[in-house]
Amino acid sequence: MKKVFLTTALAAAVLTAATAFEATVVSTKGKVEVQNGTSWKALAAGDTLNKGAVVQTGFKSEMVLRIKESTVTVAPLSRLTIEQLAEKATKDETRLYLDSGSLKANVQKAENRRVGFTTKSPVATASVRGTELGISIGYQSTDIETFTGSVAVWPSNNKMP
């Protein structure tokens, strides 16, 4: 009896676990790199990035990422960490950490799936709800511009509402 219960519980855990997906580099301009251990490697269109990747753009540089149906444009002099890329049963979950610089995200809704898209900075966290937004990091500040849709924002040291 214990063996059947343990097997059933293990199977249920495997079925409900999230599976990872990748972000794809659509285009690059100038110096765009991903951290590879202690060194940096140049990125090019077609390269893929996984959870944990740290990317940076140089002066007069830019990178466009595709994450599922959404796009993220990383501006010059930016550093971004991909904290989460997970596909759950009913929801796609993307979490980015913008350490410096700016980005513009165009988050697309998915049919029959929820899309969780969160961008953190040192001082704020923005949770995107099917929208297009820009995020820019300044000295002890984060500027968020919403072009369409809605965004929930709260201080980074607090948990999501």
Side-chain angles (χ1 to χ4, degrees):
M1 179 69 170
K2 288 181 184 179
K3 189 174 183 179
V4 171
F5 176 75
L6 183 59
T7 303
T8 305
L10 183 58
V14 169
L15 292 175
T16 59
T19 57
F21 57 87
E22 299 174 327
T24 303
V25 177
V26 175
S27 66
T28 62
K29 180 177 99 176
K31 186 176 182 177
V32 179
E33 301 171 307
V34 62
Q35 192 169 25
N36 186 9
T38 57
S39 61
W40 292 87
K41 176 187 157 205
L43 281 172
D47 288 346
T48 57
L49 300 170
N50 296 306
K51 175 183 173 182
V54 178
V55 296
Q56 66 182 12
T57 56
F59 185 70
K60 293 186 180 181
S61 301
E62 183 180 87
M63 172 181 59
V64 177
L65 286 176
R66 176 163 297 283
I67 302 173
K68 290 282 193 165
E69 300 303 317
S70 302
T71 58
V72 176
T73 303
V74 183
L77 300 174
S78 297
R79 182 174 288 199
L80 176 76
T81 302
I82 299 174
E83 289 188 337
Q84 181 72 23
L85 294 173
E87 187 175 82
K88 299 177 183 175
T90 60
K91 182 178 181 181
D92 294 332
E93 189 69 42
T94 300
R95 200 168 54 243
L96 306 175
Y97 181 79
L98 183 63
D99 186 48
S100 62
S102 0
L103 64 79
K104 182 176 181 182
N106 186 349
V107 180
Q108 297 295 311
K109 295 178 183 178
E111 188 152 337
N112 298 326
R113 295 184 67 74
R114 291 179 44 213
V115 176
F117 194 99
T118 303
T119 302
K120 293 181 180 181
S121 79
V123 296
T125 300
S127 182
V128 180
R129 307 281 196 258
T131 193
E132 186 175 0
L133 83 152
I135 299 176
S136 184
I137 306 295
Y139 177 70
Q140 294 186 344
S141 68
T142 298
D143 296 324
I144 299 173
E145 182 177 7
T146 304
F147 300 101
T148 60
S150 61
V151 175
V153 180
W154 58 94
S156 280
N157 58 353
N158 292 338
K159 294 191 178 207
M160 291 176 40

